[in-house]
Every structure is written in C-alpha cells, then in structure tokens.
Amino acid sequence: MTCPSCPRASGTRYEAACNAEVGLDRRIDARVLPRAEAFAIPDIIRTATNLVPAEVSDVRIVDIQGLDQQADGGTHVASTSQIGKIQVVKIENKGRGFRRLRIRLTD
C-alpha cells in the first residue's frame, strides 16, 4: 500500500489527471500576434513579457483549446492525443504550492 503523502502517490494522481486531459484530444492552434496584442491576453503568463526580447515585434501564441494558451515558439502536435501517455518520473518542490513534474511520454 502506498502512503498518500509519498511522492509516488502524488505522481500517480498527477498522471491520472494529465492523461485524462490528453485523452480529451484537445485541438492545438498556433497564431502570431503583434507583441502588444499577444501580451494583452489575460491568460498569458506575465513572465513571458520578460522572456521575449524587446526587439521581437510578433509573438507566437499556442492555444490548447479549452485548456491553456501561452507564448511559445516550440514545436507542437495538432492535438493532445498525439503525445501518447504521460508518466511522472520525478516531482520537484518549487516553493509553496508549486511543483515541477518531470515526465516521460509513452505509447
């Protein structure tokens, strides 16, 4: 039996929640907006405004339909179901109420 406060128990909970989201097959869209317009979107994490150099005039916004949208220049799949299953391999405490999940994608 696993103790509810041990990291693996938390990892199992996180895996279940993440895999439920993946299974919803949410569409992922990307668009490029003028900097001011992109950073005026309320859901964009404020630190993004500090990470994008001031000389960048257009910002790519990636939108996981119904879940999240962020400034992001990376490569992305067309829908969440294309990534496979998520397995949590490590949980790091990043301060009160903040955790970093290290994950592995599996088939």
Side-chain angles (χ1 to χ4, degrees):
M1 182 161 137
T2 322
C3 139
S5 62
C6 86
R8 186 65 216 152
S10 295
T12 302
R13 254 190 2 255
Y14 294 137
E15 279 178 17
C18 290
N19 285 313
E21 280 296 332
V22 168
L24 292 175
D25 195 24
R26 294 180 187 270
R27 189 178 80 237
I28 300 173
D29 297 319
R31 65 191 189 279
V32 177
L33 298 173
R35 180 187 188 93
E37 187 178 336
F39 292 144
I41 299 171
D43 293 337
I44 301 301
I45 294 177
R46 291 298 142 216
T47 55
T49 60
N50 298 328
L51 296 175
V52 178
E55 63 273 8
V56 173
S57 59
D58 294 322
V59 177
R60 182 171 180 251
I61 302 295
V62 174
D63 187 357
I64 303 172
Q65 296 295 306
L67 182 64
D68 190 26
Q69 60 180 339
Q70 294 299 325
D72 191 335
T75 303
H76 291 274
V77 294
S79 73
T80 56
S81 67
Q82 292 179 331
I83 68 167
K85 297 285 183 195
I86 293 174
Q87 178 185 18
V88 176
V89 294
K90 185 176 182 181
I91 301 171
E92 299 172 35
N93 186 349
K94 293 307 213 178
R96 175 176 261 167
F98 296 95
R99 305 288 179 270
R100 175 176 293 150
L101 301 180
R102 301 286 179 175
I103 65 168
R104 175 181 304 128
L105 299 178
T106 64
D107 293 333

